[in-house]
């Protein structure tokens, strides 16, 4: 792996960025919380769910936990955006379990949609409000922050259901075939020869086209898929490390621990223990 596939954000994270520097993510990544991304100016290219989206002002992307995505600048230097990452638990201060389930499990959906100019300004204001409260301190600021994030989520839910899906360029069908194969058979022993054969391409051409489409090599993508499964099982089951390894294609606890520590910086057991203590 060139860089971590997992981008952790504890609690609430808000960032406004306006830059004239090109920036391509080192590799596809995911979060174990929710992400909301609002494009304010310039262009950004987002790869998600087998589609490459050209994000421009008014485009908003929402990702639920463990959704792999990748963004790059390509030939565009300038862009401006707001991003919000949050863990579900932070909303327990103002929502019951039933309300939290209704909002996060039933109302929020992973999507990329285009907002009207009026809705863009409306959502932009809520991002700014959350950003303001995040920079303040004290118990009142924390409550105001949670309230601002909840209002932003509610507004986003309404606007995304009322808005149209952002147009995107679908990835070459041969690459989609290979990705679907990885998503289905990640538990098995997969190599480049197998994937290039599935895509009906030479190995060299397949590797080049896969990286152009996704920002990751085919083996990095496979490793990312496996690690998202490991992460989820560590958090949400009591399976042993050996059982998780056999269920995610790592074959042994030793192989799993080696790959996991390279990305997360700690052993799987330590990671599970720290998350459960949090």
């Amino acid at each position: 792996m060139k860089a971590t596939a997992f981008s952790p954000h504890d609690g609430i994270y808000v960032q406004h960025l306006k830059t004239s520097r090109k920036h391509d993510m080192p590799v596809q990544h995911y979060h174990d919380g929710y992400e909301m991304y609002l494009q304010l100016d310039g262009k950004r290219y987002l790869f998600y769910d087998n589609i490459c989206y050209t994000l421009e002002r008014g485009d908003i992307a929402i990702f639920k936990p463990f959704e792999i995505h990748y963004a790059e600048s390509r030939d565009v230097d300038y862009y401006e955006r707001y991003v919000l990452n949050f863990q579900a638990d932070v909303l327990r201060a103002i929502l019951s379990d039933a309300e939290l389930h209704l909002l996060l499990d039933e109302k929020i959906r992973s999507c990329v949609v285009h907002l009207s100019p009026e809705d863009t300004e409306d959502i932009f204001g809520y991002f700014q409000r959350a950003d303001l409260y995040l920079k303040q301190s004290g118990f009142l600021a924390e409550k105001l922050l949670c309230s601002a994030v909840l209002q932003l989520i509610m507004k986003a839910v309404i606007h995304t259901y009322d808005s149209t899906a952002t147009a995107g360029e679908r990835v070459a069908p041969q690459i989609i075939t290979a990705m679907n194969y990885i998503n289905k058979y990640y538990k098995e022993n997969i190599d480049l020869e197998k994937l290039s054969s599935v895509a009906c391409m030479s190995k060299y051409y397949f590797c080049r086209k896969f990286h152009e489409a996704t920002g990751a090599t085919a083996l990095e993508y496979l490793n990312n898929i496996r690690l998202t499964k490991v992460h989820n099982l560590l958090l949400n089951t009591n399976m042993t490390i050996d059982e998780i390894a056999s269920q995610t294609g790592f074959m042994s606890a030793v192989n799993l621990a080696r790959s996991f520590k390279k990305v997360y910086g700690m052993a799987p057991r330590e990671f599970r223990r720290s998350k459960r203590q949090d």
Side-chain angles (χ1 to χ4, degrees):
M1 297 292 294
K2 292 182 293 184
T4 177
F6 169 53
S7 297
H9 295 294
D10 294 328
I12 297 172
Y13 172 84
V14 185
Q15 185 193 52
H16 174 243
L17 178 66
K18 183 189 291 187
T19 180
S20 295
R21 280 184 170 183
K22 289 184 179 181
H23 173 65
D24 296 345
M25 290 180 176
V27 72
Q28 290 182 317
H29 74 259
Y30 70 95
H31 312 276
D32 59 357
Y34 295 79
E35 176 170 300
M36 296 173 60
Y37 176 107
L38 177 65
Q39 188 77 16
L40 293 169
D41 203 357
K43 285 185 180 181
R44 191 83 170 134
Y45 295 89
L46 171 71
F47 177 84
Y48 167 67
D49 196 25
N50 299 340
I51 295 177
C52 183
Y53 297 94
T54 302
L55 301 182
E56 298 180 290
R57 181 173 175 81
D59 288 326
I60 185 170
I62 298 177
F63 301 109
K64 299 184 81 166
F66 304 105
E67 297 277 7
I68 290 180
H69 53 283
Y70 169 79
E72 61 185 7
S73 297
R74 293 191 180 176
D75 57 342
V76 180
D77 294 333
Y78 171 75
Y79 71 95
E80 180 183 3
R81 56 87 169 140
Y82 245 120
V83 67
L84 164 73
N85 295 89
F86 68 93
Q87 297 286 340
D89 284 349
V90 301
L91 297 177
R92 293 188 187 279
I94 52 179
L95 293 179
S96 67
D97 286 346
E99 292 168 335
L100 203 59
H101 169 73
L102 177 63
L103 177 63
L104 300 184
D105 296 337
E106 298 186 19
K107 295 296 184 181
I108 284 187
R109 62 192 177 102
S110 297
C111 60
V112 183
V113 300
H114 184 72
L115 306 176
S116 69
E118 295 78 16
D119 290 344
T120 300
E121 286 298 322
D122 188 29
I123 289 288
F124 180 31
Y126 282 97
F127 269 102
Q128 290 178 307
R129 196 172 306 165
D131 196 5
L132 173 66
Y133 293 141
L134 184 63
K135 294 171 181 174
Q136 298 177 355
S137 59
F139 76 94
L140 184 57
E142 292 178 5
K143 292 184 180 297
L144 289 172
L145 174 60
C146 286
S147 176
V149 169
L150 177 59
Q151 291 177 70
L152 173 54
I153 296 169
M154 293 298 295
K155 282 289 184 178
V157 167
I158 293 170
H159 290 329
T160 53
Y161 276 95
D162 289 342
S163 302
T164 56
T166 299
E169 174 187 346
R170 186 161 287 277
V171 174
Q174 300 97 317
I175 301 302
I176 293 178
T177 298
M179 293 176 67
N180 288 339
Y181 185 89
I182 291 172
N183 293 335
K184 185 176 182 179
Y185 296 109
Y186 64 89
K187 296 180 183 180
E188 300 181 6
N189 187 20
I190 299 175
D191 57 22
L192 287 176
E193 284 74 14
K194 180 63 179 179
L195 292 175
S196 58
S197 174
V198 166
C200 299
M201 294 177 172
S202 71
K203 188 163 68 171
Y204 171 79
Y205 189 65
F206 168 75
C207 290
R208 183 163 66 85
K209 299 304 289 185
F210 194 99
H211 189 274
E212 286 177 1
T214 68
T217 69
L219 294 183
E220 285 170 344
Y221 182 82
L222 170 62
N223 203 50
N224 289 347
I225 293 295
R226 287 172 171 168
L227 286 173
T228 62
K229 307 299 183 183
V230 170
H231 190 153
N232 206 352
L233 292 173
L234 285 171
L235 292 184
N236 299 310
T237 76
N238 291 317
M239 293 172 63
T240 66
I241 305 302
D242 283 305
E243 289 171 335
I244 292 176
S246 67
Q247 287 292 311
T248 55
F250 285 103
M251 305 306 172
S252 73
V254 173
N255 289 338
L256 168 56
R258 185 185 301 115
S259 294
F260 193 90
K261 190 168 185 178
K262 187 182 297 184
V263 170
Y264 296 87
M266 64 179 75
R269 288 186 179 84
E270 183 184 354
F271 179 84
R272 171 182 266 173
R273 185 165 55 249
S274 67
K275 286 292 183 178
R276 289 185 173 179
Q277 286 173 349
D278 291 343

